[in-house]
Amino acid sequence: MSGSGRLMISLALFASLLVCVNAHFNYKEALTKSIIFLEAQRSGKLPPHPRPPWRGDSALQDGKTVGVDLVGGYYDAGDNVKYGLPMAFTVTTLAWAAYFYKAELTSAGEMKNVLDGIKWGTDYFLKASTGNNRLFVQVGDPVSDHECWMRPENMKSSRKVLEINQNCPGTEIAAETAAALAASSIVFRDVDKTYSRNLLHSAKKLFQFANEHRGTYNGECPFYCSYSGYHDELLWGATWLYIATRRPIYLKYIQDESTTAIVSEFSWDLKFAGAQILLSQLYWEGQKEFQTFQRQADGYICQVFPESPYHQAFITPGGLLHFRDGANAQYVTSTAFLFSVYSDLLARHRMQVTCGDKHFTSVQLMAFAKRQMDYLLGDNPIKRSMMVGFGNNPPLQAHHRGASVPVMAPTEDVNCGMSFVYWYNTNKPNPNELTGAILGGPDKQDRFIDSRTNSSYTEPCTYVNSVAIGVLAKLAK
């Protein structure tokens, strides 16, 4: 190759590097819009003047068939079913963001909106867990729901209710809901002490139920099957309860009874890494009995960080983490959040992560977290944002009933068969902007198809955004 050819290639690589290093976005705008998406997922009686102006009241009779008020909560994604496991994980991680990044969220002017979002979920969980050893875990029938492409305000599909109890246990869902309530109790302690105590009381009861009546509940399959078992949720729940109470009963469970493992994923199904990072914070604050968990947190970093000799996570040619096709963005935002939190802990305690013969600093971890978020916001090979209503060339066809169906009178009756003709199988932008939704995202080759019929690319989920809020708050400083 000629010298001029080598020079041109070098300049091109340098220019590409500059784009990566200098990529900058309005993170405060992204933060605000991420929260607005969660508001678009609310079920029940909405407050006046919702920020997504096309949303209205929905599912106001939920729970009536079983004599319980189950109005409220969140729809998980682009459909109109309320699933307990992902909803609880959404609330737990949102509360973690409020707990760890309180100063950053307050500075950004978003703390009240985050607290409102948490409370929308915890109010529902309190109603769903009024009895002993009983928790209502799902409202809606996914089969009938998927037979009709209709906004929640006009849906006519079944609102059947599923529950777990001592005869039909569901340790994962009970323990995750306990985690959500315990984490939220910490956040509300200085805001509303009575409400905080109520949350903590329910969290304790649910954890006891989860631990004493063990069993995996598959009622939410095939959409939210527990592939990882329930030991991670028990450790996760016990960790949040210990942070909230400092009671020996939860310390004993963590030390003597829990199961733990080094993993490379943090998600609605797998919580080990989250618990390990929480316990690492306590370890560095003086509780040396948590050293094993701190080492496992390092192990998580080593399995994910691309420069580690032990890394296992796949990185696309454009630099995006890719775990699975279908809502892969959830793993991107959850990884970015954990790396952001761990980076702050390393900096606070002047520590590094050691992976074999390599050492990584807090700055390197945060740079990786930022790189992942920047990719989703538009610094990627196709130069387009994965967040609706944000950045360059954002998606227009989110796989989402409420966003893709025009606003109509609540009493209007729609033929379910024709609903797919009118609003699903059309190559038109959604009439309602699903502001702030981070969609499923590109495939392993950085390809993205903006089509609502390709749900693996375009479906949003609450738990994609909930774990993005903390890291966006940090970046917005």
Side-chain angles (χ1 to χ4, degrees):
M1 182 183 294
S2 69
S4 60
R6 284 193 294 269
L7 177 61
M8 289 178 67
I9 291 175
S10 298
L11 288 172
L13 289 173
F14 181 67
S16 175
L17 180 62
L18 282 178
V19 169
C20 178
V21 171
N22 293 333
H24 179 74
F25 298 95
N26 187 336
Y27 298 111
K28 186 177 184 301
E29 178 191 351
L31 170 64
T32 296
K33 290 184 172 180
S34 289
I35 299 167
I36 291 175
F37 164 68
L38 293 178
E39 294 172 14
Q41 296 302 104
R42 290 180 179 182
S43 178
K45 180 71 175 176
L46 301 185
H49 313 298
R51 289 199 286 181
W54 45 270
R55 276 306 320 276
D57 300 340
S58 64
L60 298 180
Q61 302 298 315
D62 277 3
K64 189 174 181 179
T65 57
V66 293
V68 178
D69 176 8
L70 295 175
V71 176
Y74 288 96
Y75 304 115
D76 71 308
D79 54 18
N80 301 325
V81 180
K82 298 190 300 197
Y83 294 101
L85 185 55
M87 191 194 306
F89 180 70
T90 296
V91 173
T92 310
T93 49
L94 194 58
W96 191 359
Y99 164 67
F100 196 83
Y101 287 116
K102 179 180 179 180
E104 289 80 358
L105 286 167
T106 301
S107 176
E110 292 294 347
M111 191 62 179
K112 182 183 183 303
N113 289 322
V114 170
L115 289 175
D116 288 346
I118 295 168
K119 193 172 186 295
W120 196 267
T122 52
D123 282 351
Y124 174 80
F125 294 140
L126 290 176
K127 294 191 289 187
S129 59
T130 52
N132 290 323
N133 297 333
R134 188 186 194 192
L135 176 66
F136 293 98
V137 297
Q138 181 176 313
V139 183
D141 177 5
V143 175
S144 65
D145 183 81
H146 288 185
E147 292 173 349
C148 201
W149 191 261
M150 180 46 54
R151 62 198 298 266
E153 292 85 349
N154 296 87
M155 65 180 168
K156 300 294 190 293
S157 54
S158 168
R159 303 302 291 169
K160 77 174 185 180
V161 176
L162 301 182
E163 69 171 86
I164 56 174
N165 52 54
Q166 60 190 28
N167 298 317
C168 180
T171 298
E172 292 91 341
I173 306 180
E176 180 61 63
T177 309
L181 293 169
S184 300
S185 77
I186 301 169
V187 173
F188 280 99
R189 191 170 289 162
D190 295 331
V191 178
D192 186 335
K193 291 188 184 302
T194 300
Y195 188 68
S196 174
R197 285 195 294 268
N198 290 340
L199 295 177
L200 190 55
H201 176 69
S202 292
K204 293 174 183 176
K205 289 200 307 179
L206 280 173
F207 183 80
Q208 183 177 357
F209 167 43
N211 194 30
E212 292 181 356
H213 301 279
R214 295 191 181 191
T216 290
Y217 178 72
N218 289 319
E220 295 189 336
C221 281
F223 303 100
Y224 291 102
C225 306
S226 175
Y227 298 104
S228 65
Y230 51 69
H231 291 291
D232 56 313
E233 278 87 6
L234 285 171
L235 175 60
W236 177 241
T239 298
W240 277 113
L241 277 161
Y242 179 68
I243 294 171
T245 66
R246 302 302 170 115
R247 289 185 59 186
I249 184 175
Y250 303 114
L251 176 61
K252 182 178 185 302
Y253 178 84
I254 294 167
Q255 285 186 291
D256 301 335
E257 302 173 39
S258 70
T259 298
T260 185
I262 296 174
V263 295
S264 59
E265 173 189 321
F266 178 58
S267 68
W268 60 263
D269 184 44
L270 189 57
K271 324 289 168 44
F272 282 131
Q276 290 155 4
I277 286 177
L278 285 168
L279 293 170
S280 295
Q281 180 175 352
L282 299 182
Y283 167 74
W284 281 318
E285 289 172 355
Q287 293 195 244
K288 299 306 180 185
E289 63 267 34
F290 294 138
Q291 184 178 42
T292 295
F293 297 100
Q294 187 275 315
R295 289 175 176 170
Q296 290 177 327
D298 274 6
Y300 162 77
I301 299 296
C302 293
Q303 289 202 9
V304 176
F305 194 53
E307 297 176 40
S308 163
Y310 306 128
H311 80 94
Q312 298 181 6
F314 179 84
I315 305 291
T316 70
L320 184 72
L321 280 166
H322 192 281
F323 284 78
R324 295 175 185 86
D325 290 327
N328 180 66
Q330 67 178 296
Y331 308 109
V332 179
T333 55
S334 66
T335 301
F337 178 62
L338 291 196
F339 268 64
S340 178
V341 170
Y342 209 56
S343 166
D344 285 340
L345 292 175
L346 292 174
R348 188 180 302 169
H349 298 283
R350 300 181 180 180
M351 302 298 293
Q352 294 184 349
V353 175
T354 299
C355 304
D357 60 350
K358 294 191 174 182
H359 305 280
F360 303 110
T361 67
S362 63
V363 173
Q364 289 173 288
L365 266 61
M366 190 60 217
F368 179 66
K370 180 180 181 294
R371 175 72 188 104
Q372 295 305 301
M373 295 306 300
D374 285 350
Y375 184 110
L376 294 177
L377 296 178
D379 182 22
N380 51 55
I382 56 176
K383 302 304 176 189
R384 69 180 304 173
S385 170
M386 296 297 128
M387 177 184 283
V388 176
F390 177 89
N392 183 59
N393 193 21
L396 300 175
Q397 292 192 35
H399 179 94
H400 189 275
R401 286 162 172 76
S404 60
V405 179
V407 174
M408 59 186 71
T411 56
E412 187 165 342
D413 194 21
V414 177
N415 180 285
C416 283
M418 294 304 295
S419 66
F420 289 90
V421 176
Y422 295 147
W423 303 302
Y424 179 73
N425 292 307
T426 62
N427 189 25
K428 298 178 181 178
N430 289 342
N432 308 311
E433 183 184 272
L434 192 61
T435 304
I438 302 173
L439 303 192
D443 61 19
K444 295 179 75 169
Q445 299 302 318
D446 300 299
R447 293 172 301 211
F448 178 76
I449 301 173
D450 185 15
S451 167
R452 76 180 60 83
T453 60
N454 284 278
S455 61
S456 63
Y457 295 100
T458 59
E459 187 163 22
C461 304
T462 56
Y463 42 87
V464 178
N465 278 56
S466 65
V467 287
I469 285 168
V471 63
L472 285 173
K474 180 179 178 180
L475 291 170
K477 286 176 58 179

